[in-house]
Amino acid sequence: MGPLDAHYCFTAYKLNRSFARFYQTVFADTGLTYPKYVILNVLAEDGALAISQLSERAGVENNTLSPLLKRMADFGVIARERDPEDERRVVITLTPMGRSALKAARAAVANGFAELGLDPEEVKRSIVYMGHAQAKLEKASPRKLTMAALLGQSD
Amino acid sequence: MGPLDAHYCFTAYKLNRSFARFYQTVFADTGLTYPKYVILNVLAEDGALAISQLSERAGVENNTLSPLLKRMADFGVIARERDPEDERRVVITLTPMGRSALKAARAAVANGFAELGLDPEEVKRSIVYMGHAQAKLEKASPRKLTMAALLGQSD
DNA sequence: TACGAATTAGTCGCACACGAATTAAATGAT
DNA sequence: ATCATTTAATTCGTGTGCGACTAATTCGTA
């Protein structure tokens, strides 16, 4: 499938959507989704976070998080409060319900994941490799393709 | 960050969006996007394809492809034609412009990708590992989480 | 103190992405 | 030959995801 980078990005693209579908299947009958599950995990790890911090940890822009967090708050798994020390900030915390929901979700997912029969060592190496690529991609400032180059018949 | 599966999915999630941002940066000044680039690559590899075939190769549902392909056709990189042998099918082909656009896009991306300084052997292994996981996830039929289990305080 | 700059969330518009329902065409069964 | 079934593409509704912009708050500095 063409050059290595295209192959790599395409593989990442498909893996991510396979994960999304897998989680979607597990969560289908609940209000939970894949991105919401990610957010719950980050919150469980790091406790109370402002939206900007959560944005950075999850690698999602805050304008994506704002409506997502609103839906999660409506659902009851998180709480949103203005930081009294800095009224610009909105601090997000897991509710007790959010904590128990995450526990149940993790159990359900771990169950389905175990049945895949993946080699844990390979998964760990895979995570390391993906992390390398992700870190480099995140720091990169590639040159932009111009419209002229895109349409040029020169080669 | 919690259990291995959560770590794995989160890493895949971030890698995919880092790729998307990277490609977006390269393509910013053109009409091209990351999913469109993927489609162009699949078409370059496999030639003329019906939408359902393209859907399968790209791992995207056809109701996602329909509007995407319409935009690409408007842009001029692909052509959409009804198959005269089976009027239900819409056959997608790369236009000459699409072919040259892909060439230019590949060159630009390969350029930026090379500057990341990733180890090609590691990238290849990473692709293999991700492929393993993707294949298993795709075939999996995990048990669904119930609303009762999600909300239950039992454990 | 006062006022411009920076920071933080949120809104808006657009592009994916999918499940469910719909429409049109081909196939199969009687 | 007719009609139910299947297949292919599209439409619809909802949820993510981002760039650009806006509103509110805080900070820096005169």
Side-chain angles (χ1 to χ4, degrees):
Chain A
M1 143 122 217
L4 189 61
D5 56 82
H7 196 170
Y8 202 17
C9 95
F10 188 43
T11 306
Y13 182 74
K14 286 198 295 183
L15 177 59
N16 185 56
R17 278 210 320 294
S18 289
F19 260 119
R21 272 194 281 265
F22 179 82
Y23 281 66
Q24 198 165 7
T25 302
V26 174
F27 296 151
D29 297 339
T30 70
L32 223 49
T33 64
Y34 177 51
K36 285 173 189 162
Y37 179 64
V38 169
I39 299 301
L40 289 179
N41 273 291
V42 173
L43 285 172
E45 192 75 4
D46 294 340
L49 290 176
I51 293 183
S52 55
Q53 298 173 309
L54 195 52
S55 163
E56 194 174 345
R57 309 274 169 117
V60 181
E61 299 300 320
N62 62 10
N63 53 0
T64 299
L65 285 181
S66 275
L68 182 60
L69 294 172
K70 195 169 284 181
R71 284 190 292 271
M72 290 173 76
D74 291 345
F75 190 59
V77 288
I78 62 166
R80 296 156 40 89
E81 290 173 68
R82 287 275 165 191
D83 181 351
E85 305 232 331
D86 183 342
E87 291 282 338
R88 292 172 304 180
R89 290 163 169 270
V90 171
V91 177
I92 307 295
T93 49
L94 272 182
T95 60
M97 173 184 156
R99 219 172 291 278
S100 75
L102 177 57
K103 203 174 212 174
R106 277 180 167 176
V109 171
N111 212 302
F113 194 80
E115 285 173 2
L116 297 182
L118 289 170
D119 174 7
E121 291 310 312
E122 180 174 311
V123 169
K124 283 176 196 161
R125 283 196 297 273
S126 186
I127 289 173
V128 171
Y129 294 165
M130 290 164 76
H132 288 169
Q134 195 268 327
K136 299 238 171 141
L137 282 167
E138 205 54 43
K139 285 185 301 186
S141 308
R143 273 192 297 286
K144 290 184 182 182
L145 176 64
T146 64
M147 201 63 184
L150 189 71
L151 298 178
Q153 313 293 331
S154 50
D155 54 315
Chain B
M1 143 121 218
L4 188 60
D5 55 84
H7 197 171
Y8 201 16
C9 96
F10 187 42
T11 306
Y13 182 73
K14 287 197 295 183
L15 176 60
N16 185 56
R17 278 209 321 294
S18 289
F19 260 121
R21 273 194 282 264
F22 179 82
Y23 281 68
Q24 199 165 4
T25 302
V26 175
F27 296 152
D29 297 337
T30 70
L32 222 49
T33 64
Y34 176 52
K36 285 173 188 159
Y37 179 63
V38 169
I39 299 302
L40 288 180
N41 274 291
V42 173
L43 285 172
E45 191 76 3
D46 293 341
L49 290 175
I51 293 183
S52 54
Q53 296 172 311
L54 195 52
S55 162
E56 194 174 346
R57 309 272 171 120
V60 181
E61 298 301 318
N62 59 12
N63 54 0
T64 299
L65 285 181
S66 274
L68 181 60
L69 294 172
K70 196 168 286 180
R71 285 189 291 271
M72 291 173 75
D74 291 345
F75 191 59
V77 289
I78 62 165
R80 296 156 40 90
E81 290 173 68
R82 287 277 165 188
D83 181 350
E85 305 231 331
D86 185 341
E87 292 282 337
R88 291 172 305 181
R89 289 162 169 270
V90 171
V91 177
I92 308 295
T93 49
L94 272 182
T95 60
M97 172 186 158
R99 220 171 292 277
S100 76
L102 177 57
K103 203 174 212 173
R106 277 180 166 176
V109 171
N111 212 302
F113 194 80
E115 285 173 3
L116 297 182
L118 289 170
D119 174 6
E121 291 310 313
E122 180 173 312
V123 169
K124 283 176 198 164
R125 282 196 297 276
S126 185
I127 289 172
V128 171
Y129 293 166
M130 289 163 76
H132 288 169
Q134 196 269 327
K136 299 238 173 145
L137 281 166
E138 203 55 41
K139 284 185 303 185
S141 307
R143 272 192 298 285
K144 292 183 180 180
L145 176 64
T146 64
M147 200 63 184
L150 188 72
L151 298 178
Q153 312 292 332
S154 50
D155 55 316

